[in-house]
Amino acid sequence: MYLQHFRLTETPFSLTPNTEFFFGLAPHVEALQVLQTALQTGEGFIKVTGEVGTGKTLICRKLINELPERFHCAYLPNPYLTPAELRWAVAMELGLKHSSQMGQQQLTGLIQQQLMALSAHGHSIILVLDEAQALPDDSLEALRLFTNLETESRKLLQVVLFAQPELDERLAMSKFRQLRQRITFSYCLRSLTLDESSAYIQHRLKVAGNKDETLFTDFNAKRIAKAARGIPRLINILSHKALLVCFGEGVMKISKHHVDAAIADTEDASSHKHSLLHWTLAAGALTSMVLATLYWFKGGVV
C-alpha cells in the first residue's frame, strides 16, 4: 500500500523467501559454500541448522536454483511424514509412476532402480528437506536407510537437511547415533551483526527500487537490528511496520518514533518493560496502520 509513497517498485520486506533479495552476508555465503563443497563429495548427510527466521529457506531455494545441471534434486518442503509417506513423496519427486496398491518393499525397490538409472546417466541425486526438525523419529530412521543405497564406488543419494536447533537436540540422543555419524558436513546459521543488519535493510530497499539511502538512517536501522536480535525475519517485520507508520503519517523519512512504534507492536521484538509509554506507542502504531489501510481503500495508490 505504501509503494508509490516511497517510490518503490515492490514490497522490500516481504516474509516470503525471494532469492532476488538474497544478500551475500557472511553467514549465508558460508552456509552455501559448505553445502556446495559437501555436494561435491557425494557422501552422506549434510545439515544446516538455525533459529526461526535466520534465512534457512532462502538459502535452501538459492541452493536449488543454482545446482549444476548434473544434479537431480528431490525437494520436500514439509517433511512431517510417516515412513510410508516419505517413500511415496521421494518416489514422486524422482518422477516414478506407481500404484497406490504397491507395497513398501516393492516401492523401495523401484526407488533404488530409479536412483541407479539416474546415476548411470551421470546424475548426482540429492534429497533436500526443509523444516527437517518436523520429521518423526521413524521417518528419520527411514531417511537413514535411504542412504544405504549405493554402488561399489558412491552413494546413490545425498540428503540435505535444513532444520531448527531442535533437530540437533534429537540427534544427540543415543538412538540416532547411526544417523548422527552419517552427517559429514554441518553448518549453524548465526544471527546478523548490527552492521550486517543495517546493510541488509539498505540492500532490500535498493532491490525494491529505493534510491533514497536516508529513508532508514544507520541509527534507526541498527535499532531495528538490535530489537530483532539480528534475525532477518524480525528485521523484515519491524522495517515493514516502521514504513507503515511513516506512511500513515504522510512523511517520507523513518524517524525514531516510527521504529519505537514498530518495536512496541511486535510481540517477539526485544524492548523495554511494558510501560505506559510502550502501550501508547503500540496503540499509535496500530492506529497509523489502520489509517494507512483506510487511505489505501479510499483511493490511495498501492
Side-chain angles (χ1 to χ4, degrees):
M1 65 181 69
Y2 52 63
L3 298 188
Q4 184 171 336
H5 180 77
F6 293 113
R7 299 182 180 88
L8 301 171
T9 56
E10 56 185 314
T11 305
F13 299 108
S14 170
L15 298 185
T16 302
N18 183 346
T19 55
E20 291 183 3
F21 283 91
F22 180 82
F23 189 32
L25 293 168
H28 297 161
V29 170
E30 289 168 5
L32 279 170
Q33 289 174 341
V34 168
L35 288 164
Q36 290 162 354
T37 299
L39 289 176
Q40 299 301 320
T41 69
E43 292 286 341
F45 282 79
I46 307 159
K47 175 173 61 70
V48 174
T49 56
E51 282 293 344
V52 175
T54 49
K56 297 183 298 296
T57 299
L58 181 63
I59 292 171
C60 177
R61 292 186 180 182
K62 183 78 171 171
L63 174 71
I64 292 171
N65 290 347
E66 296 182 355
L67 283 173
E69 289 186 6
R70 71 179 181 86
F71 283 94
H72 183 99
C73 179
Y75 173 53
L76 300 182
N78 299 302
Y80 186 65
L81 304 167
T82 65
E85 290 169 339
L86 179 64
R87 293 186 191 98
W88 290 118
V90 170
M92 291 180 63
E93 285 294 304
L94 292 176
L96 282 172
K97 295 181 180 180
H98 48 76
S99 168
S100 59
Q101 305 302 316
M102 185 179 296
Q104 291 298 302
Q105 186 173 354
Q106 187 179 3
L107 179 61
T108 300
L110 283 179
I111 290 173
Q112 183 170 11
Q113 290 175 22
Q114 181 72 339
L115 290 174
M116 292 182 70
L118 288 168
S119 180
H121 284 85
H123 292 287
S124 295
I125 306 96
I126 63 170
L127 175 60
V128 179
L129 296 95
D130 202 1
E131 303 293 349
Q133 76 283 345
L135 274 164
D137 288 359
D138 289 347
S139 299
L140 275 171
E141 177 61 14
L143 198 59
R144 181 186 70 82
L145 293 175
F146 270 132
T147 61
N148 285 340
L149 305 176
E150 58 190 0
T151 65
E152 291 185 356
S153 59
R154 59 177 298 175
K155 295 286 185 183
L156 289 175
L157 181 70
Q158 282 183 283
V159 178
V160 182
L161 303 173
F162 289 89
Q164 294 170 22
E166 289 83 350
L167 179 64
D168 287 328
E169 295 173 9
R170 291 172 63 197
L171 292 178
M173 299 169 65
S174 176
K175 64 180 179 180
F176 291 123
R177 63 187 182 280
Q178 287 182 295
L179 173 56
R180 190 169 61 244
Q181 290 178 8
R182 300 283 182 94
I183 298 172
T184 53
F185 291 86
S186 63
Y187 186 85
C188 182
L189 278 172
R190 62 168 173 80
S191 300
L192 305 182
T193 66
L194 293 183
D195 286 336
E196 288 171 341
S197 299
S198 180
Y200 170 84
I201 290 173
Q202 298 300 342
H203 170 77
R204 293 189 71 97
L205 286 168
K206 184 176 180 180
V207 173
N210 175 61
K211 293 180 172 55
D212 182 1
E213 295 183 359
T214 63
L215 176 56
F216 278 85
T217 64
D218 187 59
F219 171 77
N220 284 322
K222 288 181 177 178
R223 289 190 67 247
I224 286 176
K226 186 174 181 180
R229 305 184 300 282
I231 299 173
R233 182 180 296 165
L234 277 176
I235 293 173
N236 285 1
I237 291 171
L238 292 174
S239 299
H240 172 65
K241 287 184 176 181
L243 287 172
L244 276 175
V245 178
C246 184
F247 170 61
E249 292 183 358
V251 296
M252 297 296 296
K253 305 286 185 184
I254 300 296
S255 300
K256 179 178 180 295
H257 76 275
H258 300 143
V259 175
D260 289 337
I263 295 170
D265 188 56
T266 303
E267 187 171 347
D268 198 31
S270 302
S271 61
H272 298 297
K273 293 181 180 179
H274 290 181
S275 61
L276 176 61
L277 174 61
H278 175 101
W279 294 113
T280 301
L281 287 169
L286 288 172
T287 300
S288 296
M289 292 178 199
V290 170
L291 289 174
T293 304
L294 288 174
Y295 171 80
W296 179 49
F297 282 113
K298 286 181 179 180
V301 183
V302 178

